Amino acid sequence: MKSRENIADILCIGCQKGSTSWLHSVLNCHPSTYAFPDSEPVTSTDKEAHYWDWNAQRGADWYRQLLTPQDPAQLSMDFTPEYACLTEAQIDDCKALNPGAKVFYILRDPLARAVSALRMHMLWHLGKDHSEPLKLGPQFEAFAQEARLEEHGDYLRNVTAWRARYPDLILLNYEDFHTDRAASIGAVFAQLGLDADEMDAPQRQLFNGLMTGRVWVSEKFEIDRAVLMFLQGLTWQYRQAAEDALGMRFTEGDRMLGR
């Protein structure tokens, strides 16, 4: 059981609402990757093992058993966006269990990501038929706290903590999945040593379908302008830090603000 170098060969640590589900599904089309069995509610589908935030008490042997494929040549995957916010001690533990893992972090415009996260929590609590716009007030404050907007939006802190343990952390821009999807996925395949020609006909058909669509589109609940401007003020510092220190460029939030 312990002969594999890593429990998870491919880790995607977020960002939350950054198309991690879509990327996981794309990679899962390839015969050289492995998605663990759906074990809800212990895990989230076959994508998010939630080891460090939900299941650490189950121990490393549980995590290893969950992720180990029958074919030892396959690359096991754990795409859990909450990992972005792990403490330094937790990332140290991750490094001990996955010393050679390829770690990906998808960054999305912080304002757009925050809005999408709030809409996700609105769906969970209010249902898809909710029609009233989200306004500033106790309900907004509760959703914002539950969504951990600042922790998930503080990309520079998260990147710095993870790069201290994984210097080769790979940053992806969410917007590239929409503007140059083929090139983005081609680069990810190259970084993982995956050859697209190894997919059989059914896998290729599924792959081609994913390359022209999305896994899940958020409900477009209306957000009051005052909420949007509050979120702009909350997330502006994180956008500036990501653009200045990480060389990222975001445009999605500007479009939301009508700029």
Side-chain angles (χ1 to χ4, degrees):
M1 290 286 287
K2 294 186 179 181
S3 60
R4 291 173 60 87
E5 179 187 16
N6 310 300
I7 294 179
D9 298 302
I10 306 171
L11 282 166
C12 184
I13 63 170
C15 67
Q16 187 187 65
K17 308 308 298 176
S19 285
T20 58
S21 294
W22 178 81
L23 180 59
H24 180 271
S25 295
V26 169
L27 292 179
N28 199 32
C29 294
H30 198 281
S32 294
T33 63
Y34 174 75
F36 56 80
D38 184 353
S39 304
E40 286 194 282
V42 176
T43 67
S44 178
T45 66
D46 62 350
K47 172 199 168 206
E48 302 175 20
H50 285 282
Y51 177 63
W52 281 276
D53 56 331
W54 292 359
N55 294 307
Q57 77 282 357
R58 300 177 187 275
D61 286 341
W62 171 87
Y63 189 42
R64 183 176 292 106
Q65 183 176 13
L66 176 72
L67 264 69
T68 299
Q70 290 187 345
D71 181 354
Q74 287 184 302
L75 302 174
S76 55
M77 300 189 292
D78 181 2
F79 280 46
T80 304
E82 282 70 19
Y83 292 169
C85 307
L86 295 184
T87 66
E88 294 182 358
Q90 289 172 314
I91 304 173
D92 285 338
D93 190 31
C94 179
K95 181 68 174 181
L97 298 181
N98 308 299
K102 292 283 190 179
V103 184
F104 292 87
Y105 191 11
I106 306 168
L107 303 189
R108 182 180 182 182
D109 183 289
L111 172 59
R113 196 217 66 80
V115 169
S116 186
L118 285 173
R119 284 172 167 159
M120 178 176 67
H121 285 269
M122 291 175 69
L123 176 65
W124 290 348
H125 291 285
L126 304 176
K128 65 180 181 179
D129 295 326
H130 180 75
S131 59
E132 293 295 319
L134 181 64
K135 298 182 178 180
L136 292 177
Q139 186 177 67
F140 163 75
E141 293 170 5
F143 289 161
Q145 182 176 7
E146 185 178 81
R148 300 171 65 192
L149 295 182
E150 294 192 77
E151 291 170 279
H152 280 288
D154 193 353
Y155 298 148
L156 184 57
R157 176 270 160 197
N158 298 337
V159 168
T160 300
W162 277 89
R163 275 190 170 160
R165 283 82 182 169
Y166 291 93
D168 296 329
L169 172 73
I170 300 164
L171 296 181
L172 304 174
N173 192 323
Y174 168 91
E175 295 182 25
D176 291 342
F177 291 157
H178 299 271
T179 60
D180 199 350
R181 183 167 292 184
S184 298
I185 293 304
V188 171
F189 269 42
Q191 287 157 335
L192 296 173
L194 300 178
D195 184 350
D197 291 337
E198 293 177 354
M199 291 185 284
D200 61 24
Q203 291 166 339
R204 172 62 74 171
Q205 182 177 15
L206 181 58
F207 174 85
N208 289 341
L210 289 165
M211 291 296 286
T212 58
R214 297 192 217 176
V215 174
W216 184 53
V217 179
S218 300
E219 295 290 336
K220 296 298 184 183
F221 295 118
E222 187 177 350
I223 302 291
D224 188 79
R225 181 75 179 180
V227 170
L228 193 63
M229 297 311 296
F230 177 88
L231 294 174
Q232 162 68 357
L234 180 71
T235 61
W236 180 84
Q237 60 180 320
Y238 302 131
R239 171 176 172 165
Q240 287 299 116
E243 292 191 335
D244 294 343
L246 304 176
M248 306 297 288
R249 292 295 178 265
F250 305 111
T251 63
E252 195 180 5
D254 290 340
R255 293 194 298 273
M256 296 181 73
L257 294 169
R259 295 177 177 173

